[in-house]
Amino acid sequence: MNTTTNPAVPRTPDPASVLVASDLDRTLIYSAAALALTAPDALAPRLLCVEVHESRPLSYMTEDAAGLLARLADETLFVPTTTRTRKQYQRIRLPGTASKYAICANGGHILVDGVTDRDWHASVLDRLADECAPLAEIRAYLAATTDRSWVRKHRVAEDLFAYLVVERDLLPEEWLGLFGHWAGERGWTVSLQGRKVYAVPKPLTKSAAVRELARRTGAALTLAAGDSLLDADLLLAADRAWRPGHGELADSGWTAPHLDVLAERGVAAGEEILRRFRAAAVG
């Protein structure tokens, strides 16, 4: 038998060497308001609750999506990749084998078996200190320039970044532009996503954490999905990527050569993303 490998024939990666980095909210899991159910009630998909907050169900996926995710978690290195804080992430109960790794706080924390990797977090803090204005300066600007008539909450996530919960219809466009310019000069990015205005240090990215995990694990192929502006760097860093037909990236028409744009919206998009992940990883 001739066992010589033909270098012209691309090799299919071992599924175990495939890293799947997926955003969660409005990518794989959905609040009741974001489900976008369009079929008649009698034909609606069965839903599985995957998050409870203050004793109330909060986030869902379809039962078919839950089955797909359980199989994907057994077949690949599945890494939940979220802007949520660690506390917010740990409320979620995804189906299937628990992920060894997770990325929280937009890349500020890598969790290994649920515990923060302190070396990674320290390296993130060092980079932010070297390249960005301090969080306190951003918070002071927000306190001085915002109005309670359109800001509902000021929040800080993991002492890494800040965000506002706003009344979007009342948000002054000129303020957003001025804040974006001011923050950009100080090494921060500003984005409006739904009812939240995020101020995030430029080096604080999901993609940096995913690259670190790919390096550690020797992943041969990286797959990613996301819906928001904070996911763009993650999608660009992957070998193949998907985004749903909803979200800020869809609203802006954002695309990339290796990105597949899905027609599905809402919870149906989460199910389709998982199908695409499995097809790309295991065929």
Side-chain angles (χ1 to χ4, degrees):
M1 179 181 295
N2 184 358
T3 59
T4 302
T5 299
N6 182 351
V9 178
R11 295 173 58 194
T12 301
D14 177 351
S17 71
V18 177
L19 190 158
V20 178
S22 183
D23 176 53
L24 296 177
D25 293 281
R26 299 189 73 202
T27 298
L28 293 189
I29 68 174
Y30 291 81
S31 68
L35 290 171
L37 298 174
T38 58
D41 290 349
L43 301 178
R46 288 167 57 96
L47 299 173
L48 175 70
C49 178
V50 294
E51 180 185 14
V52 173
H53 180 45
E54 296 180 346
S55 302
R56 296 183 179 181
L58 185 60
S59 298
Y60 305 84
M61 58 198 317
T62 69
E63 286 191 347
D64 285 348
L68 290 166
L69 179 54
R71 291 194 289 276
L72 184 74
D74 286 338
E75 296 160 345
T76 69
L77 180 64
F78 175 70
V79 181
T81 305
T82 181
T83 302
R84 286 184 177 224
T85 65
R86 289 169 293 174
K87 182 178 180 180
Q88 292 168 338
Y89 166 70
Q90 288 164 348
R91 294 197 303 253
I92 300 170
R93 293 292 179 264
L94 293 174
T97 304
S99 299
K100 181 175 181 61
Y101 299 104
I103 294 168
C104 295
N106 213 60
H109 288 278
I110 292 176
L111 304 187
V112 184
D113 295 325
V115 178
T116 289
D117 182 314
R118 295 188 180 279
D119 289 341
W120 171 256
H121 184 59
S123 72
V124 169
L125 295 180
D126 287 345
R127 188 172 178 193
L128 299 190
D130 288 343
E131 300 180 24
C132 309
L135 175 62
E137 187 174 338
I138 305 301
R139 295 185 67 192
Y141 182 98
L142 292 173
T145 64
T146 57
D147 190 313
R148 289 184 179 179
S149 67
W150 51 271
V151 174
R152 292 292 170 260
K153 298 176 183 177
H154 288 252
R155 290 287 184 264
V156 171
E158 301 270 18
D159 291 324
L160 291 169
F161 62 91
Y163 63 94
L164 305 176
V165 180
V166 303
E167 294 292 343
R168 186 156 177 165
D169 292 343
L170 301 177
L171 175 66
E173 289 186 15
E174 64 276 12
W175 176 86
L176 189 64
L178 288 171
F179 179 41
H181 178 74
W182 179 89
E185 292 182 333
R186 290 158 176 80
W188 289 65
T189 61
V190 172
S191 61
L192 173 62
Q193 302 186 39
R195 296 178 59 241
K196 294 179 180 179
V197 176
Y198 286 91
V200 178
K202 291 180 180 179
L204 186 67
T205 63
K206 294 178 178 181
S207 60
V210 168
R211 289 190 192 96
E212 171 62 13
L213 288 182
R215 182 192 67 79
R216 292 186 191 184
T217 61
L221 179 70
T222 300
L223 311 177
D227 72 292
S228 77
L229 297 172
L230 289 173
D231 294 319
D233 70 284
L234 169 65
L235 302 184
L236 287 172
D239 297 300
R240 292 193 63 187
W242 293 265
R243 69 164 172 82
H246 63 257
E248 291 79 21
L249 294 178
D251 292 344
S252 65
W254 188 87
T255 189
H258 63 292
L259 174 77
D260 288 342
V261 176
L262 303 182
E264 290 83 1
R265 300 169 58 88
V267 72
E271 188 175 310
E272 182 61 22
I273 285 168
L274 288 163
R275 287 196 184 93
R276 301 293 183 99
F277 279 155
R278 290 198 70 233
V282 302

